[in-house]
Amino acid sequence: MQNPVRQSSHQITLLSDFGLKDVYVGVMKGVIAQITPNVPVIDLTHQIPPQNVLAGRFALLNAYPYFPRPTVHIAVVDPGVGSQRRAVAVEFPQGVVVAPDNGLVSGICQFESPLAAVELNNPDYWRTLSPSRTFHGRDIFSPVGAYLATGVPLQEVGTSIDPQTLVKLDLAPVTETAEGIRGTVQYIDYFGNVITNIPAACLTGKSWSVELPQQTLPQSETYSDRTPGHPVALIGSHGWLEIAVNEGNAATQLNLTYNSSVLVRW
Amino acid sequence: MQNPVRQSSHQITLLSDFGLKDVYVGVMKGVIAQITPNVPVIDLTHQIPPQNVLAGRFALLNAYPYFPRPTVHIAVVDPGVGSQRRAVAVEFPQGVVVAPDNGLVSGICQFESPLAAVELNNPDYWRTLSPSRTFHGRDIFSPVGAYLATGVPLQEVGTSIDPQTLVKLDLAPVTETAEGIRGTVQYIDYFGNVITNIPAACLTGKSWSVELPQQTLPQSETYSDRTPGHPVALIGSHGWLEIAVNEGNAATQLNLTYNSSVLVRW
Amino acid sequence: MQNPVRQSSHQITLLSDFGLKDVYVGVMKGVIAQITPNVPVIDLTHQIPPQNVLAGRFALLNAYPYFPRPTVHIAVVDPGVGSQRRAVAVEFPQGVVVAPDNGLVSGICQFESPLAAVELNNPDYWRTLSPSRTFHGRDIFSPVGAYLATGVPLQEVGTSIDPQTLVKLDLAPVTETAEGIRGTVQYIDYFGNVITNIPAACLTGKSWSVELPQQTLPQSETYSDRTPGHPVALIGSHGWLEIAVNEGNAATQLNLTYNSSVLVRW
């Protein structure tokens, strides 16, 4: 069987909470270009809310399936940078994720078993022997990711660790009762669409509605099922129950936020 | 004569109102990379005001002429996603636009006659036979655009339609009287520059001023014709009459917005 | 010795205050693609605060060292566009910067001597003989940068000028007294981290603290040295003294802004 990590990668993706105001992301791309100028670098997003590992976990989980293997994903939402948290590379069937070990990768782990994981402790693949205490994205994650994209084996860039020891960051579980399902808001997108952690599979083939404190939202199929300004509940493109307002902002209008509880009734 | 659509394209551009906070745009790039990893993908913008087809139409119209043929432009500002609105690909002399049929393409159509158009109803070129009801950018527009960029003929991706049937989204017309020209604000840019629909051609070689409720702006040639903080009226880089404030925000300062009326006096 | 400008470049970077709302940046990429479609274009940032040449100077200076030579950097923060300010290309050991001559390049000049400089007055390398008065980024800087990236020699694109005549934009100098060092805030980043102009070299091996009007910040090594919400003073990844708040916004919380004075005490 071929070892997917030894192949060179078709592309590198970047995900961070660095924003686009500064040159942090550009600098990471410069560091990558020094190592592998011909691998395209694709931005997943750099506007994860600062240090919101939960949002980063969701974003990475939702982008991962759409990239051809082998892709290297460099993900940096890293409130613990410079502390003792580990830096890791985790190999999955479709690609490798390079990230701090703070739960960022745990979303993908819910759906796919890691094939292998290493702690990034081989400074030969860092940008410098004295990495900045505050910018491992530049000094560790980007160069390691770039070297992995050139085909350097995973085991070269650090010591193998048990994938079971990776930090987990899990949401409040979805609970099913006789009357319905209770879940949690796991992400609010740019449009203000509210994405819960209730998977489509729990709802398909059934008839349901979403009960909010102020109102009940009937099951819809598309944003335009209702007139502009009115909320809809539907299976979103991510595959989870989603609450949206046609041409509006559901989070603001319905006063929903991260970790809000959402009740679906049969 | 060569058929421009059968050539593979030099690049794909993306335009949307998806913002850059989420991974929607990154996911579209992943889908494209699965089909044609070597065609560069260029972002036109993803910050069209949510569901503002008029702004998207303006942005697409203004970017189109600067790209070498053949380029594939994927444009997704799509308030009617999941409803009965058509999804289309429209071939112009310099490239193909893949978009919902809601007027997004009608700006280019004002200046260039479409060579051909198809409705995107061949699911062989979709990402999945069951596209999401809310994210055709990922499931229809991106894969179709990527296949077109590899040289798939336009007629392969759907049924031919008469370009005359494409939805038009036109601005209030520019009217000329003895005393001057009346036009409309068609776009407000990031700087707060106010772009009218009065074309340069109506003004060249004449002497004119812009009459606003509070003040009259003399004809200027460049932002720095006046000291910082003062408004100027000039022919903008887009080729339309533009109102700007040197080192300031004209829209806010002069209380102008989309569809505001603007009067030019000789 | 090889002439770095005659080599074709590995990549072009773009830096501007154009924002990402409009198609200005996309249009520049279209213009570049017309000339050299195969050179990757990397965004450093387009969110320099509008017309803030000082911030642009800092951003360019901090990105430049991370790019392999030869890179072409196109930098456009240009409040004087259309006025008599010069447009220039300045060659440094690692690459060429194409920019208005308003101090944008002067940050790099503090650390590296320019090898050569030209005024961009050869319209053969412009997009058009009649460039827009308001968008030299599209009509002059992008095409000239693209041609330089293809290997056109610097002297082809304009008349040689003495690098000493380039506009300087320098910060208030760092002053050292018996009790400590006084410097200035030179940049505020997306996180609200406050970057001073006091270089690491002045502080290494010493024990120091930062005295602010309301409080004294002890020397730290990483953001997470203190609990969330508390300010830290450390050597930032840029190599200057930086003031940050762990999981917070230092500029807002400590009321620091561009040009605020900062005192380090031994």
Side-chain angles (χ1 to χ4, degrees):
Chain A
M1 203 199 95
Q2 63 179 336
N3 178 338
V5 185
R6 305 207 52 137
Q7 276 183 268
S8 61
S9 290
H10 297 307
Q11 58 272 309
I12 293 169
T13 78
L14 301 181
L15 178 147
S16 78
D17 63 350
F18 294 164
L20 295 171
K21 186 189 164 196
D22 309 308
V23 295
Y24 298 116
V25 173
V27 160
M28 287 173 67
K29 292 177 180 172
V31 169
I32 291 167
Q34 302 249 19
I35 295 163
T36 175
N38 296 317
V39 175
V41 179
I42 295 176
D43 297 307
L44 294 183
T45 176
H46 297 287
Q47 298 187 346
I48 297 297
Q51 299 164 331
N52 187 335
V53 180
L54 190 64
R57 168 194 175 284
F58 178 84
L60 185 60
L61 159 63
N62 282 283
Y64 167 84
Y66 297 100
F67 282 85
R69 70 184 277 273
T71 298
V72 172
H73 300 280
I74 300 174
V76 194
V77 181
D78 196 8
V81 62
S83 72
Q84 292 306 309
R85 67 100 186 92
R86 297 187 296 191
V88 295
V90 186
E91 188 190 337
F92 293 99
Q94 250 172 283
V96 179
V97 181
V98 181
D101 182 24
N102 59 12
L104 258 186
V105 184
S106 63
I108 302 178
C109 293
Q110 267 194 303
F111 295 86
E112 294 216 294
S113 292
L115 305 177
V118 296
E119 180 173 0
L120 306 181
N121 53 14
N122 183 351
D124 291 353
Y125 295 98
W126 300 356
R127 193 184 68 84
T128 161
L129 291 178
S130 320
S132 155
R133 300 293 302 267
T134 57
F135 194 7
H136 287 187
R138 177 190 67 195
D139 291 345
I140 298 177
F141 298 116
S142 289
V144 167
Y147 281 115
L148 290 172
T150 65
V152 167
L154 195 73
Q155 284 70 23
E156 272 293 303
V157 299
T159 309
S160 284
I161 57 174
D162 179 354
Q164 293 298 325
T165 67
L166 291 168
V167 170
K168 286 179 189 61
L169 182 73
D170 291 328
L171 294 155
V174 172
T175 57
E176 194 160 350
T177 66
E179 51 187 10
I181 297 183
R182 188 170 288 282
T184 303
V185 172
Q186 66 169 325
Y187 192 73
I188 312 238
D189 78 8
Y190 166 74
F191 296 97
N193 297 331
V194 172
I195 294 137
T196 73
N197 66 343
I198 300 172
C202 296
L203 302 176
T204 8
K206 294 182 178 164
S207 135
W208 48 268
S209 62
V210 170
E211 199 170 293
L212 298 177
Q214 311 294 337
Q215 59 191 307
T216 298
L217 308 181
Q219 180 178 355
S220 300
E221 294 216 349
T222 173
Y223 298 145
S224 48
D225 275 1
R226 296 193 66 185
T227 48
H230 288 88
V232 295
L234 43 72
I235 303 303
S237 62
H238 300 289
W240 278 288
L241 174 68
E242 187 175 321
I243 298 166
V245 167
N246 186 13
E247 303 193 17
N249 185 308
T252 315
Q253 191 167 324
L254 302 171
N255 202 22
L256 290 165
T257 185
Y258 280 80
N259 292 314
S260 292
S261 182
V262 172
L263 180 64
V264 173
R265 279 196 192 275
W266 307 129
Chain B
M1 204 197 96
Q2 63 179 336
N3 178 337
V5 184
R6 305 207 51 140
Q7 274 182 269
S8 62
S9 291
H10 297 307
Q11 58 271 310
I12 292 169
T13 78
L14 300 180
L15 177 146
S16 78
D17 62 350
F18 295 163
L20 295 171
K21 185 188 165 198
D22 310 307
V23 295
Y24 298 116
V25 173
V27 161
M28 287 173 66
K29 291 177 181 172
V31 169
I32 291 167
Q34 302 249 19
I35 296 163
T36 175
N38 296 317
V39 175
V41 179
I42 295 176
D43 296 307
L44 294 183
T45 175
H46 297 288
Q47 297 186 346
I48 297 297
Q51 300 164 330
N52 187 334
V53 180
L54 191 65
R57 169 194 173 283
F58 177 84
L60 185 60
L61 160 64
N62 282 284
Y64 167 84
Y66 297 101
F67 283 84
R69 68 184 278 274
T71 297
V72 172
H73 301 280
I74 299 173
V76 194
V77 182
D78 197 8
V81 63
S83 72
Q84 292 306 309
R85 68 99 186 91
R86 297 187 295 193
V88 294
V90 185
E91 189 193 337
F92 293 99
Q94 249 172 286
V96 178
V97 181
V98 180
D101 182 25
N102 60 12
L104 258 185
V105 184
S106 63
I108 303 179
C109 292
Q110 268 195 302
F111 295 87
E112 294 216 296
S113 291
L115 305 177
V118 297
E119 179 172 359
L120 307 181
N121 52 14
N122 183 352
D124 292 353
Y125 295 99
W126 299 357
R127 193 184 68 85
T128 160
L129 291 178
S130 320
S132 156
R133 299 294 302 266
T134 58
F135 194 5
H136 288 186
R138 176 190 70 196
D139 292 345
I140 298 178
F141 298 115
S142 289
V144 167
Y147 281 116
L148 289 173
T150 65
V152 167
L154 195 71
Q155 284 70 22
E156 272 295 302
V157 300
T159 309
S160 284
I161 56 173
D162 179 354
Q164 293 298 325
T165 67
L166 292 168
V167 170
K168 286 178 189 61
L169 184 72
D170 292 327
L171 294 155
V174 172
T175 55
E176 194 159 350
T177 65
E179 51 187 8
I181 297 183
R182 188 171 288 281
T184 303
V185 172
Q186 68 168 323
Y187 192 73
I188 311 240
D189 78 8
Y190 167 75
F191 296 97
N193 297 331
V194 172
I195 293 135
T196 73
N197 66 342
I198 300 173
C202 296
L203 302 176
T204 7
K206 295 183 178 163
S207 136
W208 48 269
S209 61
V210 170
E211 198 169 294
L212 298 177
Q214 311 294 336
Q215 59 191 307
T216 298
L217 308 180
Q219 181 178 354
S220 298
E221 293 215 350
T222 174
Y223 298 145
S224 49
D225 275 2
R226 297 193 65 185
T227 48
H230 288 87
V232 295
L234 43 71
I235 302 303
S237 63
H238 299 290
W240 279 287
L241 174 68
E242 188 176 320
I243 298 167
V245 166
N246 187 13
E247 303 192 17
N249 185 308
T252 316
Q253 190 167 324
L254 303 172
N255 202 23
L256 291 166
T257 184
Y258 281 81
N259 292 313
S260 292
S261 182
V262 171
L263 180 64
V264 173
R265 279 197 192 274
W266 308 130
Chain C
M1 204 198 96
Q2 63 179 336
N3 179 338
V5 185
R6 306 207 51 139
Q7 275 183 267
S8 61
S9 291
H10 297 306
Q11 58 271 310
I12 293 169
T13 79
L14 300 181
L15 177 147
S16 78
D17 62 351
F18 295 163
L20 296 171
K21 186 189 164 199
D22 309 307
V23 294
Y24 298 117
V25 173
V27 160
M28 288 173 65
K29 291 176 181 173
V31 169
I32 291 167
Q34 301 250 19
I35 296 164
T36 175
N38 296 317
V39 175
V41 179
I42 296 176
D43 296 307
L44 294 183
T45 175
H46 297 287
Q47 296 187 348
I48 297 297
Q51 301 164 330
N52 187 333
V53 179
L54 191 65
R57 169 194 175 281
F58 178 85
L60 185 61
L61 160 64
N62 282 284
Y64 166 84
Y66 297 100
F67 283 84
R69 70 183 277 274
T71 297
V72 172
H73 301 280
I74 300 173
V76 193
V77 182
D78 196 7
V81 61
S83 72
Q84 292 306 310
R85 67 100 187 88
R86 298 188 295 193
V88 294
V90 185
E91 189 190 337
F92 293 99
Q94 249 173 286
V96 178
V97 181
V98 180
D101 182 25
N102 60 11
L104 259 186
V105 184
S106 63
I108 302 179
C109 292
Q110 267 194 302
F111 294 87
E112 294 217 295
S113 291
L115 305 177
V118 297
E119 180 172 359
L120 306 181
N121 52 14
N122 183 351
D124 292 353
Y125 295 98
W126 299 357
R127 194 184 67 85
T128 161
L129 292 178
S130 320
S132 156
R133 299 293 302 267
T134 57
F135 194 6
H136 288 188
R138 177 190 69 194
D139 290 345
I140 298 178
F141 297 116
S142 289
V144 166
Y147 281 115
L148 289 172
T150 66
V152 167
L154 196 71
Q155 284 70 22
E156 271 294 302
V157 300
T159 309
S160 284
I161 57 173
D162 179 354
Q164 293 298 325
T165 67
L166 292 168
V167 170
K168 285 178 188 62
L169 183 73
D170 291 328
L171 294 155
V174 172
T175 56
E176 195 159 350
T177 66
E179 52 187 8
I181 297 183
R182 189 171 287 281
T184 303
V185 172
Q186 66 169 325
Y187 192 72
I188 312 242
D189 78 7
Y190 166 75
F191 295 98
N193 297 332
V194 172
I195 294 136
T196 73
N197 65 342
I198 300 172
C202 296
L203 302 176
T204 7
K206 295 183 178 164
S207 134
W208 49 268
S209 62
V210 170
E211 198 170 294
L212 297 178
Q214 311 293 338
Q215 58 192 308
T216 298
L217 308 181
Q219 179 177 357
S220 298
E221 294 216 348
T222 174
Y223 298 145
S224 48
D225 275 1
R226 298 193 63 186
T227 48
H230 287 88
V232 295
L234 42 71
I235 302 303
S237 63
H238 299 290
W240 279 286
L241 174 68
E242 187 175 320
I243 298 167
V245 167
N246 187 14
E247 303 193 16
N249 185 308
T252 315
Q253 190 167 323
L254 302 171
N255 203 21
L256 290 165
T257 185
Y258 280 81
N259 292 314
S260 292
S261 182
V262 171
L263 180 64
V264 172
R265 280 196 191 276
W266 308 130

